[in-house]
Amino acid sequence: MLHVVHHADYMAPRPERGTFKFDKYYLVMEELRASGAPITEHALDPMPREWLEQVHCPRYVEQVITATVPREKERRIGFPVTPRIASRVRHTNGGTWLAAQLALEHGYAANSAAGSHHALHDTGAGYCVFNDLAVTSNRLLAEGDAQRILIVDLDVHQGDGTASLTAMRDEIFTLSLHAEKNFPARKARSNRDVGLPDGLDDNGYMEVLERELPPLLDDFAPDIVLYQAGVDPHGEDKLGRLALTDEGLERRDRFVIAQARKRRLPVASALGGGYGADQRAVARRHASSMLAMADENRLYPVAMLGA
Ligand SMILES: [Zn+2]
């Protein structure tokens, strides 16, 4: 059973400036529903403003909510922040929070949007407005749902916003595997960064992941994993520089779930990046990713959750 968080506001009309397309969030759900796999859709509440303000500069939160983000910040984000976008990002942030709550209950749950890892303290960047990973982490800690959180970021781009927003928090560990030569040009410092060479294939990628993730789970000993499961390491991705195949992405995702669930850890995933002229193909990659993780999660009884 895939527990997936979705909301009608995840879609937004195509922006009048910039190249970002919101179609995939609709197509991902279509792919999931058409798959025939058992799924339960969960509706979410928008992230309350005060939780956004704990991580982001209150003035920036105000600018987003009132759709008055200065033009230079909008340029960094990549699209104008309209009232629809303002509503959307509060919902997508609420979605990652709900996915974490559902993961605590079911072992694994997915948000069908977000993974907005480039968003910084007082501005968005790289198609990201509010950083759902940092906001959810902060709230999980503040509400006592977790004491230690591991953020695994396997999007092809570095999780620079998440790294900088959580740098001062010893209870949050950030792991980022990314194409070294890709955006952002100036990388932030995650707790653990692995810059990958262009063209890395499935086996090369898995070698790195198998080396990095298990010891980290043992040494840092988190009690929940937030997983940015971007599909842009795929060889056909327009903005990726790696050469993973569909099978490679599935191996990656199953490995993350298996390693965490073996240690009784819940995993909540956020959608992350995935770009291409064929939005349907990108949506299919995201859907397959979530379904593979739910399938892997079946191997671990929910009774195993929590030590
Ligand atoms: Zn990306």
Side-chain angles (χ1 to χ4, degrees), residues 201-203 205-206 209 233-236 243-255 285 288-289 292:
D201 65 6
D202 293 346
N203 288 334
Y205 190 94
M206 285 309 298
L209 186 59
H234 194 279
E236 283 162 27
L244 271 67
T245 64
D246 289 339
E247 295 72 41
L249 286 176
E250 178 167 346
R251 274 170 70 191
R252 176 196 75 164
D253 294 336
R254 285 184 182 273
F255 184 76
R285 274 173 216 143
S288 306
S289 163

Side-chain angles (χ1 to χ4, degrees), residues 8 21 27 44 50 106 114 139 146 171 174 180 188 219 258 267 274:
K21 299 190 187 116
L27 295 173
L44 56 105
E50 48 283 20
H106 302 291
R139 189 172 169 188
E171 323 91 305
T174 49
E180 181 63 26
D219 297 344
V267 181

Side-chain angles (χ1 to χ4, degrees), residues 12 42 57 66-67 73 96 115 137 157 160 171 173 182 250 271:
H42 297 265
C57 169
T66 57
K73 290 188 188 178
T96 298
S137 295
H157 304 100
D160 59 336
E171 323 91 305
F173 193 103
N182 217 325
E250 178 167 346
L271 202 73

Side-chain angles (χ1 to χ4, degrees), residues 110-307:
N111 185 9
S112 66
S116 304
H117 60 167
H118 299 307
L120 298 155
H121 181 66
D122 61 356
T123 183
Y127 304 143
C128 302
V129 179
F130 291 141
N131 193 313
D132 56 294
L133 300 161
V135 170
T136 292
S137 295
N138 178 65
R139 189 172 169 188
L140 285 168
L141 294 167
E143 304 237 32
D145 289 319
Q147 274 72 53
R148 296 167 78 74
I149 298 170
L150 173 62
I151 301 175
V152 175
D153 190 330
L154 300 185
D155 191 280
V156 82
H157 304 100
Q158 195 213 21
D160 59 336
T162 318
S164 77
L165 286 170
T166 63
M168 308 297 283
R169 305 292 299 268
D170 291 339
E171 323 91 305
I172 303 172
F173 193 103
T174 49
L175 167 69
S176 179
L177 267 58
H178 49 265
E180 181 63 26
K181 290 190 183 146
N182 217 325
F183 176 92
R186 222 173 58 207
K187 310 273 188 289
R189 186 183 297 205
S190 313
N191 293 103
R192 175 75 181 144
D193 281 302
V194 186
L196 305 169
D198 284 3
L200 191 68
D201 65 6
D202 293 346
N203 288 334
Y205 190 94
M206 285 309 298
E207 213 170 281
V208 175
L209 186 59
E210 284 166 10
R211 183 190 73 211
E212 296 291 330
L213 185 59
L216 180 51
L217 288 165
D218 290 332
D219 297 344
F220 180 69
D223 34 33
I224 187 168
V225 175
L226 301 185
Y227 176 29
Q228 209 278 23
V231 296
D232 45 13
H234 194 279
E236 283 162 27
D237 194 89
K238 201 173 73 180
L239 301 184
R241 301 178 74 107
L242 304 185
L244 271 67
T245 64
D246 289 339
E247 295 72 41
L249 286 176
E250 178 167 346
R251 274 170 70 191
R252 176 196 75 164
D253 294 336
R254 285 184 182 273
F255 184 76
V256 171
I257 295 293
Q259 290 300 311
R261 298 294 290 113
K262 209 185 272 187
R263 292 168 176 81
R264 305 179 174 219
L265 301 175
V267 181
S269 68
L271 202 73
Y275 309 92
D278 184 354
Q279 292 274 291
R280 174 71 65 178
V282 173
R284 203 170 292 137
R285 274 173 216 143
H286 285 297
S288 306
S289 163
M290 290 184 264
L291 291 170
M293 289 192 276
D295 185 60
E296 190 69 29
N297 183 51
R298 279 189 319 143
L299 304 175
Y300 303 90
V302 172
M304 271 179 63
L305 265 182

Side-chain angles (χ1 to χ4, degrees), residues 45-75:
D45 294 320
M47 183 60 79
R49 181 174 181 153
E50 48 283 20
W51 290 109
L52 297 167
E53 291 174 343
Q54 302 244 333
V55 166
H56 291 284
C57 169
R59 240 192 33 225
Y60 172 58
V61 174
E62 168 79 16
Q63 289 170 344
V64 171
I65 286 174
T66 57
T68 55
V69 174
R71 196 63 182 262
E72 66 271 23
K73 290 188 188 178
E74 289 188 333
R75 260 196 295 272

